[in-house]
Amino acid sequence: MHRLSRRSVSAILRSGGSRHRAVASSSPFSDSVLEGDTRVRWFSVLNSGRHSTIGASTQLILKNGIFLSSRCESTAAASENSDSPHPPAEKYEYQAEVSRLMDLIVNSLYSNKDVFLRELISNASDALDKLRYLSVTDPALLKDGVDLDIRIQTDKENGIVTITDTGIGMTRQELIDCLGTIAQSGTSKFLRALKDSKDVGSDSNLIGQFGVGFYSAFLVSDRVTVSTKSPKSDKQYVWEGEANASSYIIREETDPEMLIPRGTRLTIYLKRDDKGFANPERVQKLIKNYSQFVSFPIYTWQEKGYTKEVEVDEDPAEARKDGQDEKAEKKKTKTVVERYWDWELTNETQPIWLRNNKEVTTEEYNEFYKKTFNEYLDPLASSHFTTEGEVEFRSILYVPGYAPSGKDDIINPKTKNIRLYVKRVFISDDFDGELFPRYLSFVKGVVDSNDLPLNVSREILQESRIVRIMRKRLVRKAFDMMLGISLSENRADYEQFWENYGKYLKLGCIEDNENHKRIAPLLRFFSSQSEEEMISLDEYVENMKAEQKDIYFIAADSVTSAKNTPFLERLLEKDLEVLFLVDPIDEVAIQNLKSYKDKNFVDISKEDLDLGDKDEEKEKVIKQEYGQTCDWIKKRLGDKVASVQLTNRLSSSPCVLASGKFGWSPNMERLMKSQTVGDTSSLEFMRGRRVLEINPEHPIIKNLNAACKTSPDDEDALRAIDLLYDAALVSSGFTPENPGQLGGKIYEMMGMALSGKWLSAVEVPHPVGPNHHPEAVEAEIVEPVEAGGQK
C-alpha cells in the first residue's frame, strides 16, 4: 500500500476526500502460458483478498514476459507533496453539456441497457481493426506480439466489468479528442483518413459510427476508468470520468504493476441496481446475442469444471466387519468435480451470410436457421443474396416449414422473425413493419447492413431512406423465393406453403397495392372445373374460352354451396369456368386485385351479368311481354328489392336474387352481419340494392305473367310472389329475415299442392271413445229367401 505524507492526510481530512478518486478495480485475469518467444498471452493467478474502503484493483503485472494479476490498493495524489508515484492528474472540462448528453443517452438514444456491452465491444473491435490496417504499412506496431483479441472479465461480488482489447490504444491527445469531445467518432475520422489515402478496401470491418457509443457505459455505471497504451507513445494514460459530472481527469500511468504492452483496458463500476451485469453467464449471453459475429475473438472469464476420481477413507473396523482382508483391500474411490476459472471463446467470427452462397450447403443453411430461430423443422425454402449499389446489405431469408400456432400472428406485425445487424453487430429483432409488411411477417431471416447507423432506433428506422430501399428489395427477394416454391416440380411443396401462408398473401392483396403483380401469381382457388385441387390464376387464364373476356367468380361459405348456386346455371351450360371463393377473406382480396393480365374479375352474383350472348331483338320482345309483370311483382315486394328484371343467366330456376353493382354479395352480407360491431344503417342500405331477376322461360313465371294480366289482385297469386321472393332469398345465399314466417308459407303451399291427393285411397277410421254415440242409421228390412228359390 502507498503511504501518504502527514500533509496529504491533513488535506484529505480537511476536504473530506472529495478531491481524491479511487483507482479502478477488477477481478483476476486468467492463466495461460507463453506461446513461443514472440507471442504473449494473458496469465493470471487466482487470489483472494479483501478490498480496502478506498478502492481495490487487480492489475496486470509484466514479470519475466508473463502477465500476472494482483490486487493493489492506491489513492490519487492529493498534492504535489504526496508520496504517490503517480504524477498529478489534470482536470478537463467536456466540450458539451454532459448532463444533457447523459439524459439524451439514457432516455432517448438507448432504450435498452443491454446494449452498453455491444457498444463497448464494437469500440474494442474498431481499435483492433485500426491496428490491423496500420500494421500493413508499419509492421513495428505489432512488435510486442500480443494476440488481437478482446477479453471480458467480471467481478460479481463488487459489480465490476473489465473489457480489455489489444488494439491500437490512444495517446493523451486522442483521449482528449475522443473521450472528452461528445459525439466525435474516432472510427469515422479514421475511415475518412483511409479513404483520402485510398488505403481502405471493400473488406473494411470497422463498426463505430457514433462517438456516443463509449458513453453508453454510463447507462449502468457510476464511474468508468480507461487505461490505454498506444504504440505511437511511450507512455500509458488513464482517463477517469463519473456519470453526471461536467469534467474528467487524465493522468499518466507510472506504476509498473499497472502497465500493459498495448491496447485499452476499460473498467466499469456498476450501479447498485445494475450489478447483475457482472454475472459471467449474463455477459456471455449478451455477447452471443449482440456481438456473436464480431471479427475478432472474444474471450470471457468463466468458471469450469472437470471430473476426477479421489480415494475415500474407510473405517478399518467396518472393513473387518465385512470380512475383508485389509492387505488385499482395494481403496474405494468417488467422483468429484474440480472447479477452476479459465478463458472461454464466446463468439463465432465468420457469419454464414458473409460467405459465398455457392460454398454454403443446404444443410448449413438449415442448421443456421434452426439454431438462430430455435426451430426444429427444416425451412421450406431459403434465399441468400447480396445487394449492392445505392444501398449495400447482405441477407438470408427463410420460409418456415409451418405457420406459427398463434391465431393472432397474421394481424400482429411485432414478431422476432427478422434480426437486423449493422456490420455484424446485432441491433434489434423488434420491428413494426419497417423491414417487412405485416402480411409477410412469417418470413424469417437476418439482414446485415453497412449503411445504417449503429445506434439505430425505431424513429430512425421509420424515417430512414435507406430502410425504405432495403424494404423494397427484401420484399422482392421474398416473393422470388415463394415463386420458386410454386415452380417446384414437387407440387406438394407449394400445397404445404399455401395451406400455411395463403391467408397472409390474401391479406397482401388488401394492404399492398404496389406488389399486386407479385402476389397474384401465388394465389390458389377451387373452381367449377377443379373442385378437388386448387388452381392458379395463370391456369385459369390458360383455360379461358377464346371469346371470354373476364374472370368469373362466386363467393360462398363452401365448395358445395358454390357449385349448387343458381347463378352458375347458364355459365355451366356454356362451359365457362368460375372460381370458388370459399375463404372469408377471398372476396375482399379479389376485389382489391380488380384484374389479372388485363382480365377483369367479375362477380356472377351481381346484377347485369354479361355472358356475351345477348340478342337485342329477342330481349325487346320479351320486355314487352313481361314488362307489366315485372312492375306488378316490384309493387308487391316494395322496398325489399331495388328492381325486378328479366335475365338470361338462368336455365332451371324461376328466379334469382342478385346484388346491385355496388352492393354486398350474399357472402359479404353474411360476413358483415357476423361482425361484433356492425353498422346496421349500412346493412339496411345495402340490402335495398338487391335485384330480383326472373327467368321468362320458366313455367312459374309464365303462370304469374298470366295472373298479372287476368287477375292481378288474386290472393293466391300475391302469396305466390311472396313465396317466390323468399325462395330466391334462400337459394341465392341470403338469410331470410323471418324464418318462421317463411316456413308457414311453405307449409301452406304444400297443403294447397297436396289437397288430399292420397287421402281418397285410404279409409278414414272412426274415432272410438267412452262418450262416442254412433248416429242412428235407418235399417232396411230384407225378407228371407229360400236357397235356390225366389222371393
Side-chain angles (χ1 to χ4, degrees):
M1 180 181 294
H2 301 290
R3 295 182 179 275
L4 296 177
S5 65
R6 291 182 179 180
R7 183 178 298 177
S8 299
V9 173
S10 299
I12 293 174
L13 292 175
R14 285 196 304 272
S15 63
S18 60
R19 295 174 53 201
H20 309 280
R21 300 175 185 272
V23 178
S25 66
S26 66
S27 53
F29 283 88
S30 77
D31 47 347
S32 175
V33 293
L34 284 172
E35 188 175 290
D37 296 330
T38 57
R39 296 279 179 188
V40 179
R41 287 186 177 274
W42 300 112
F43 185 90
S44 69
V45 292
L46 295 176
N47 55 20
S48 58
R50 300 181 62 185
H51 292 265
S52 70
T53 57
I54 298 177
S57 67
T58 302
Q59 302 292 347
L60 296 174
I61 311 167
L62 183 60
K63 291 184 178 181
N64 299 325
I66 301 178
F67 284 95
L68 301 176
S69 67
S70 66
R71 293 184 182 274
C72 61
E73 299 173 353
S74 64
T75 59
S79 67
E80 294 183 2
N81 296 328
S82 172
D83 294 336
S84 171
H86 298 299
E90 296 186 25
K91 187 175 181 180
Y92 295 87
E93 295 291 331
Y94 286 106
Q95 295 186 17
E97 181 57 48
V98 74
S99 59
R100 295 181 62 187
L101 172 76
M102 295 305 170
D103 181 69
L104 173 67
I105 290 175
V106 174
N107 297 315
S108 300
L109 188 58
Y110 298 102
S111 58
N112 183 4
K113 288 185 177 181
D114 290 354
V115 302
F116 88 93
L117 190 61
R118 179 196 76 183
E119 300 290 293
L120 299 179
I121 290 176
S122 298
N123 288 345
S125 175
D126 282 351
L128 292 164
D129 239 330
K130 292 176 187 177
L131 179 64
R132 182 171 62 86
Y133 274 111
L134 296 175
S135 65
V136 175
T137 55
D138 188 2
L141 295 174
L142 297 174
K143 62 183 178 180
D144 48 46
V146 181
D147 289 339
L148 299 179
D149 58 24
I150 302 169
R151 294 177 183 265
I152 302 176
Q153 198 166 18
T154 59
D155 183 349
K156 187 176 180 180
E157 180 180 350
N158 296 288
I160 299 172
V161 178
T162 304
I163 304 172
T164 305
D165 69 74
T166 57
I168 191 64
M170 287 178 280
T171 62
R172 186 188 192 95
Q173 187 58 43
E174 286 171 342
L175 275 175
I176 297 172
D177 293 340
C178 296
L179 303 188
T181 304
I182 305 305
Q184 173 170 310
S185 173
T187 299
S188 298
K189 183 178 180 181
F190 182 77
L191 280 174
R192 286 195 297 269
L194 284 178
K195 186 175 181 180
D196 293 340
S197 63
K198 299 181 180 180
D199 289 336
V200 64
S202 59
D203 61 340
S204 171
N205 290 322
L206 290 166
I207 297 171
Q209 295 170 330
F210 279 12
V212 294
F214 165 77
Y215 297 95
S216 65
F218 291 106
L219 287 170
V220 296
S221 65
D222 294 316
R223 181 161 60 95
V224 176
T225 300
V226 180
S227 182
T228 183
K229 169 69 169 62
S230 172
K232 303 175 184 178
S233 173
D234 296 331
K235 297 180 180 180
Q236 179 175 329
Y237 295 96
V238 177
W239 181 99
E240 291 187 25
E242 293 184 356
N244 301 320
S246 60
S247 61
Y248 59 93
I249 64 171
I250 296 178
R251 59 178 172 81
E252 181 185 342
E253 184 61 83
T254 57
D255 188 345
E257 296 184 351
M258 302 289 191
L259 298 179
I260 57 177
R262 182 192 71 224
T264 302
R265 182 174 63 247
L266 182 68
T267 307
I268 302 170
Y269 300 86
L270 297 172
K271 299 176 183 177
R272 183 190 301 266
D273 295 338
D274 296 315
K275 287 189 176 182
F277 286 106
N279 189 316
E281 290 78 14
R282 186 170 185 182
V283 167
Q284 193 174 53
K285 182 179 179 181
L286 290 177
I287 293 172
K288 289 184 176 180
N289 187 39
Y290 289 100
S291 305
Q292 176 80 352
F293 303 108
V294 168
S295 299
F296 297 94
I298 303 174
Y299 295 93
T300 55
W301 188 242
Q302 299 290 336
E303 185 181 17
K304 299 183 178 182
Y306 66 92
T307 59
K308 69 176 183 177
E309 297 289 331
V310 297
E311 295 181 354
V312 179
D313 294 331
E314 188 175 6
D315 188 356
E318 292 184 3
R320 284 195 299 272
K321 198 177 291 183
D322 296 338
Q324 297 177 358
D325 186 358
E326 285 187 55
K327 295 181 180 180
E329 179 187 1
K330 292 183 178 179
K331 292 290 186 180
K332 289 187 176 181
T333 61
K334 67 176 181 179
T335 302
V336 296
V337 179
E338 285 285 336
R339 294 289 180 180
Y340 68 99
W341 289 79
D342 197 4
W343 292 113
E344 181 177 308
L345 180 64
T346 305
N347 67 323
E348 298 177 10
T349 57
Q350 180 62 29
I352 189 174
W353 61 80
L354 292 183
R355 296 166 57 186
N356 190 327
N357 55 7
K358 296 180 181 178
E359 299 174 356
V360 185
T361 63
T362 302
E363 290 72 20
E364 289 178 306
Y365 283 128
N366 294 348
E367 187 63 29
F368 175 76
Y369 166 76
K370 293 177 183 178
K371 181 179 178 181
T372 305
F373 300 103
N374 296 321
E375 293 283 351
Y376 63 94
L377 293 175
D378 290 338
L380 280 177
S382 63
S383 176
H384 182 187
F385 59 93
T386 299
T387 302
E388 297 178 348
E390 190 175 7
V391 174
E392 179 181 348
F393 65 91
R394 290 178 170 87
S395 178
I396 302 178
L397 301 179
Y398 295 93
V399 173
Y402 286 92
S405 57
K407 295 181 180 179
D408 296 333
D409 285 319
I410 190 171
I411 60 172
N412 180 17
K414 291 188 177 180
T415 63
K416 302 290 184 180
N417 290 347
I418 299 298
R419 294 177 61 85
L420 175 64
Y421 291 79
V422 173
K423 294 191 175 182
R424 308 166 316 284
V425 176
F426 175 67
I427 301 300
S428 177
D429 58 2
D430 183 16
F431 299 107
D432 192 7
E434 286 85 4
L435 292 178
F436 271 96
R438 71 170 184 167
Y439 70 91
L440 290 180
S441 60
F442 63 89
V443 176
K444 297 185 177 184
V446 295
V447 180
D448 186 6
S449 169
N450 291 337
D451 301 311
L452 285 173
L454 189 65
N455 301 294
V456 72
S457 65
R458 174 63 51 77
E459 291 74 17
I460 293 175
L461 282 176
Q462 290 174 342
E463 300 298 330
S464 174
R465 174 176 167 272
I466 297 173
V467 172
R468 290 195 294 269
I469 298 174
M470 288 174 60
R471 174 187 167 114
K472 288 183 179 180
R473 296 184 180 178
L474 287 170
V475 169
R476 186 168 54 206
K477 288 293 184 178
F479 278 119
D480 291 344
M481 181 170 52
M482 289 180 272
L483 185 61
I485 302 176
S486 68
L487 299 176
S488 172
E489 295 180 357
N490 186 2
R491 193 178 180 101
D493 288 344
Y494 195 75
E495 290 176 354
Q496 180 182 345
F497 169 83
W498 182 254
E499 181 181 354
N500 287 296
Y501 308 112
K503 287 183 173 64
Y504 291 81
L505 296 182
K506 294 171 186 176
L507 181 63
C509 295
I510 301 171
E511 296 188 340
D512 192 356
N513 294 331
E514 294 181 2
N515 287 300
H516 277 175
K517 291 184 178 179
R518 294 188 174 94
I519 299 174
L522 301 173
L523 301 177
R524 297 293 184 271
F525 302 100
F526 292 108
S527 76
S528 58
Q529 297 181 7
S530 181
E531 298 176 7
E532 301 295 331
E533 188 174 341
M534 288 186 166
I535 63 170
S536 66
L537 295 179
D538 286 323
E539 291 172 316
Y540 181 96
V541 173
E542 290 176 5
N543 295 332
M544 287 176 60
K545 301 293 182 182
E547 68 278 4
Q548 185 178 345
K549 298 179 180 179
D550 302 315
I551 299 175
Y552 300 114
F553 71 88
I554 180 73
D557 58 353
S558 66
V559 173
T560 302
S561 299
K563 70 179 183 180
N564 291 318
T565 180
F567 295 105
L568 275 178
E569 292 176 1
R570 185 54 63 88
L571 286 93
L572 295 180
E573 285 185 358
K574 297 174 67 67
D575 196 27
L576 296 175
E577 189 172 14
V578 179
L579 295 176
F580 292 163
L581 310 186
V582 296
D583 203 45
I585 198 175
D586 284 352
E587 185 175 1
V588 183
I590 287 295
Q591 288 174 350
N592 278 270
L593 279 183
K594 296 181 181 178
S595 65
Y596 181 70
K597 292 187 175 180
D598 298 327
K599 307 287 185 181
N600 294 324
F601 289 100
V602 174
D603 186 352
I604 64 172
S605 68
K606 297 295 182 70
E607 65 174 323
D608 295 335
L609 177 66
D610 183 9
L611 299 178
D613 57 351
K614 288 187 177 181
D615 187 341
E616 294 183 358
E617 291 297 329
K618 182 179 179 180
E619 287 183 359
K620 186 176 180 180
V621 173
I622 294 177
K623 282 184 179 180
Q624 290 178 351
E625 175 68 21
Y626 286 89
Q628 184 180 354
T629 302
C630 291
D631 296 338
W632 176 56
I633 295 175
K634 173 64 175 74
K635 182 179 179 181
R636 174 63 180 178
L637 297 179
D639 294 336
K640 293 180 179 180
V641 295
S643 63
V644 179
Q645 301 176 3
L646 300 172
T647 184
N648 65 344
R649 78 165 86 204
L650 301 174
S651 58
S652 59
S653 298
C655 63
V656 71
L657 198 60
S659 304
K661 288 183 178 180
F662 305 103
W664 286 337
S665 68
N667 182 68
M668 182 59 65
E669 183 175 314
R670 183 178 65 255
L671 294 176
M672 296 302 296
K673 290 172 73 174
S674 66
Q675 298 297 314
T676 305
V677 180
D679 186 357
T680 55
S681 61
S682 63
L683 186 65
E684 291 296 330
F685 174 76
M686 291 299 182
R687 181 180 300 152
R689 298 303 306 160
R690 297 170 183 168
V691 176
L692 182 66
E693 297 186 359
I694 59 176
N695 178 10
E697 304 296 331
H698 198 276
I700 293 179
I701 303 302
K702 290 180 178 180
N703 282 328
L704 287 177
N705 185 44
C708 173
K709 294 178 178 179
T710 57
S711 51
D713 297 326
D714 186 86
E715 288 298 325
D716 290 339
L718 297 177
R719 284 200 301 270
I721 293 175
D722 294 339
L723 187 60
L724 189 72
Y725 169 79
D726 290 333
L729 195 72
V730 175
S731 65
S732 301
F734 294 99
T735 304
E737 292 298 315
N738 194 335
Q741 185 179 13
L742 173 60
K745 293 178 182 178
I746 294 175
Y747 298 149
E748 181 183 359
M749 295 299 292
M750 287 178 64
M752 293 172 58
L754 297 178
S755 63
K757 182 176 181 180
W758 298 284
L759 290 178
S760 59
V762 180
E763 183 178 354
V764 180
H766 294 288
V768 178
N771 299 322
H772 176 69
H773 301 284
E775 296 182 3
V777 180
E778 184 179 354
E780 181 182 358
I781 300 175
V782 180
E783 297 181 359
V785 178
E786 295 182 1
Q790 297 180 354
K791 182 178 177 181

